[in-house]
Amino acid sequence: HTCVGLKLESAGERRRHFTDFHLASFWEWSTFPDYLHCLVTMVMIISAATYTFLDSPAYVEAIGTLSLCTEATLAVPQFMRNYQTRSTEGMSVQMVMLWFLGDSGKTLYFLLR
């Protein structure tokens, strides 16, 4: 399974690419390499910013907060899909158990810290 769904093109439908920089069709690119280009670009930008501002406590706190908020909302798309379909069919029990184990470890770390 891939985590990115690609729409199949209809006849005459315009191909969309990451380099189009069109906000209305952001994340609706036609090919998987466009998603990879976006990922590599974002990693490069964030890496350069981190290297530049590593000595800034405000930057480090902002990155930590952004990371925590992103990780905390990872389940939202799955939750919405399950709610809309009224089913958990296709969800891996192993994934849920590892998810629970990982979050339990993080919670324990924060409590003991």
Side-chain angles (χ1 to χ4, degrees):
H1 298 288
T2 61
C3 59
V4 177
L6 295 175
K7 291 182 359 180
L8 297 176
E9 291 182 48
S10 302
E13 186 175 328
R14 183 183 182 281
R15 292 179 61 89
R16 295 184 174 117
H17 299 284
F18 170 65
T19 54
D20 292 342
F21 299 113
H22 192 258
L23 289 180
S25 62
F26 195 74
W27 289 122
E28 296 178 6
W29 302 305
S30 301
T31 63
F32 186 69
D34 287 306
Y35 289 93
L36 295 179
H37 289 134
C38 180
L39 180 63
V40 167
T41 301
M42 288 178 10
V43 166
M44 289 173 58
I45 290 169
I46 292 170
S47 296
T50 300
Y51 180 76
T52 303
F53 300 111
L54 191 58
D55 293 331
S56 168
Y59 177 78
V60 173
E61 288 296 321
I63 287 292
T65 302
L66 181 63
S67 174
L68 183 62
C69 291
T70 300
E71 197 276 332
T73 60
L74 285 176
V76 172
Q78 184 69 53
F79 174 76
M80 290 174 59
R81 180 176 177 268
N82 292 350
Y83 180 77
Q84 289 170 345
T85 62
R86 305 278 196 260
S87 171
T88 58
E89 185 178 338
M91 266 186 85
S92 165
V93 174
Q94 293 89 350
M95 179 201 69
V96 174
M97 295 308 293
L98 288 172
W99 204 352
F100 177 75
L101 184 64
D103 285 349
S104 297
K106 285 183 273 187
T107 301
L108 185 62
Y109 170 78
F110 283 118
L111 290 175
L112 296 176
R113 187 175 170 212

